[in-house]
Amino acid sequence: MSPQTIMAVGGHIGDMDLAAGPLLAQNVLDGGRSVLVALTPGERGHPRMSAADYREQKIAEARAFAAGIGAEVVIFDDISDGFLTADDAVAERVADLIREVRPTTLLAHWRRSIHTDHENASILAERARYLAGLPGWKDETTRHGVGRLLFTENWEDATGFDADLFVEISAEAHRLWTDAISGQAFARGETYGFRYIDFYSAQMITRGCLAGVPHAVALSSGRTWGMAPLN
């Protein structure tokens, strides 16, 4: 994969760590810059911890994960899990971040999900991409057009997801991701018991089989143009 500046926008801490983490790790290994954005901490996802306590744990886990794969992380810690709204106030914050980071590729949730925060995060990413490149909006000198918006494969966002891009994940990127994601309690199955690490590890093998490589991550362009590498 050619080195890029990639920004991955998720509804909660952990969303893009799982769905895009291997790709972000690969991008860093290839000489690129990877930035994780969590629009909420995801603090209501633990059945035995208070939201306040889990919020602090999630933020610490997010920072450790990003460091583990060589990425950067930005957390909108003032927006509460379950209450993310797709309004222009939030979209403008994401657009400001896009203008600051200047990504070549923006990753977002697929548009349909069982989780409202994921759907709203997808809408916000698309709206922010538009605003960031809009002439005459805020400081014209910072305007930035993101070349490509792609959607990640998340088990909660599976309805209508049609993969048309595969990215090969090297053994080193796979190792870095596995080590880093193992530091997140929910990914280890310690919240509601779902085996996230097993699921996404198996998904990389499955997608790798289809792409003819050991491991791969699948993405959707929102079109149906067939398979192509991300270059």
Side-chain angles (χ1 to χ4, degrees):
M1 186 173 75
S2 301
Q4 304 180 49
T5 297
I6 302 177
M7 178 186 290
V9 180
H12 318 95
I13 290 169
D15 290 336
M16 288 297 158
D17 310 48
L18 286 166
L23 186 156
L24 299 177
Q26 186 65 61
N27 183 52
V28 172
L29 288 175
D30 291 339
R33 179 187 182 191
S34 295
V35 181
L36 282 155
V37 181
L39 300 182
T40 79
E43 74 276 12
R44 302 183 194 278
H46 201 297
R48 296 173 298 279
M49 291 180 68
S50 70
D53 288 345
Y54 193 42
R55 174 183 180 277
E56 295 307 310
Q57 178 175 315
K58 290 280 283 184
I59 290 171
E61 289 173 344
R63 291 171 177 162
F65 176 84
I69 65 168
E72 302 162 45
V73 63
V74 178
I75 303 163
F76 287 19
D77 58 4
D78 59 325
I79 302 177
S80 187
D81 182 7
F83 294 90
L84 179 63
T85 56
D87 58 52
D88 271 356
V90 182
E92 288 183 17
R93 291 174 63 181
V94 180
D96 286 339
L97 190 58
I98 288 173
R99 287 187 169 196
E100 177 184 338
V101 173
R102 311 187 78 76
T104 51
T105 297
L106 187 65
L107 303 181
H109 287 281
W110 179 238
R111 301 179 182 101
R112 297 183 64 185
S113 178
I114 63 175
H115 202 310
T116 304
D117 281 356
H118 290 197
E119 291 186 340
N120 286 338
S122 184
I123 294 168
L124 288 163
E126 291 194 72
R127 176 65 172 162
R129 180 197 188 197
Y130 169 77
L131 291 174
L134 188 65
W137 184 72
K138 295 192 174 181
D139 183 358
E140 178 68 23
T141 65
T142 65
R143 182 161 66 95
H144 177 69
V146 181
R148 183 150 52 171
L149 171 65
L150 298 170
F151 302 97
T152 60
E153 187 170 28
N154 185 304
W155 78 269
E156 294 173 307
D157 311 340
T159 302
F161 181 87
D162 185 15
D164 57 5
L165 296 166
F166 289 159
V167 180
E168 182 177 1
I169 304 301
S170 67
E172 178 64 9
H174 183 271
R175 183 191 65 78
L176 289 171
W177 174 81
T178 301
D179 289 347
I181 200 65
S182 296
Q184 299 201 20
F186 88 99
R188 296 193 301 266
E190 294 176 12
T191 54
Y192 291 96
F194 187 79
R195 292 157 52 198
Y196 285 97
I197 296 174
D198 285 347
F199 181 90
Y200 285 92
S201 296
Q203 185 170 266
M204 272 191 282
I205 293 172
T206 301
R207 292 310 194 178
C209 289
L210 296 176
V213 297
H215 296 95
V217 167
L219 300 163
S220 175
S221 64
R223 307 179 184 91
T224 55
W225 289 352
M227 303 300 175
L230 178 61
N231 290 317

